[in-house]
Amino acid sequence: MSYVLIPDGFALKKVTKAQQDAVDEYFGRERRSSYLNTLIDNPNTATLVIGILTGSVLLSVLSKLFQEGVTYTKEEIEEKLSPPTFVKAIVEETSPVGDFESAFSLLQEALKEKKAQEA
């Protein structure tokens, strides 16, 4: 038989199943929120999210540039991975307008507006 020490002034009281379930649910919810707060407060979380987003963009661009099952020569690979081609593919993949010229014109307009506001 196990012994339990009960401080003076405290009394043991039976609880119903519903009361016990409510207490368990409260502490379970509290524990889950503490996990979320720990994740949000961790400085490595931002690095992890940025890494995942960058990796997914790079994978989508590479899958756009290179088709599965096709054999490429060294020159074709170098041409597809050249900075102008790669930047154009990134802009087309991630830009809301979808093409390089429109994205560049939007950038120019934004820069003009910024200069006008500063003046």
Side-chain angles (χ1 to χ4, degrees):
M1 175 180 244
S2 61
Y3 293 96
V4 178
L5 296 175
I6 302 171
D8 288 337
F10 286 93
L12 292 178
K13 181 180 176 185
K14 280 190 166 186
V15 294
T16 65
K17 176 76 171 134
Q19 290 171 330
Q20 184 63 44
D21 289 344
V23 169
D24 292 342
E25 181 182 338
Y26 172 77
F27 284 113
R29 187 177 302 139
E30 187 177 90
R31 185 173 51 249
R32 284 189 298 273
S33 68
S34 70
Y35 293 149
L36 183 61
N37 289 338
T38 302
L39 181 66
I40 291 170
D41 293 339
N42 189 345
N44 294 328
T45 301
T47 305
L48 181 65
V49 169
I50 290 170
I52 290 170
L53 292 175
T54 303
S56 63
V57 167
L58 287 176
L59 283 175
S60 66
V61 168
L62 288 174
S63 69
K64 183 178 181 174
L65 290 175
F66 297 102
Q67 297 172 352
E68 187 176 342
V70 177
T71 306
Y72 294 98
T73 64
K74 180 181 177 183
E75 292 79 22
E76 289 175 327
I77 293 173
E78 288 175 351
E79 191 274 323
K80 286 184 177 287
L81 294 179
S82 67
T85 307
F86 200 72
V87 168
K88 183 177 180 183
I90 289 175
V91 168
E92 289 175 353
E93 190 68 27
T94 60
S95 173
V97 291
D99 65 346
F100 189 76
E101 290 78 19
S102 298
F104 188 69
S105 65
L106 286 175
L107 180 63
Q108 285 180 327
E109 289 174 18
L111 289 173
K112 286 179 186 176
E113 288 178 15
K114 183 178 178 183
K115 285 182 182 179
Q117 289 176 355
E118 289 176 354

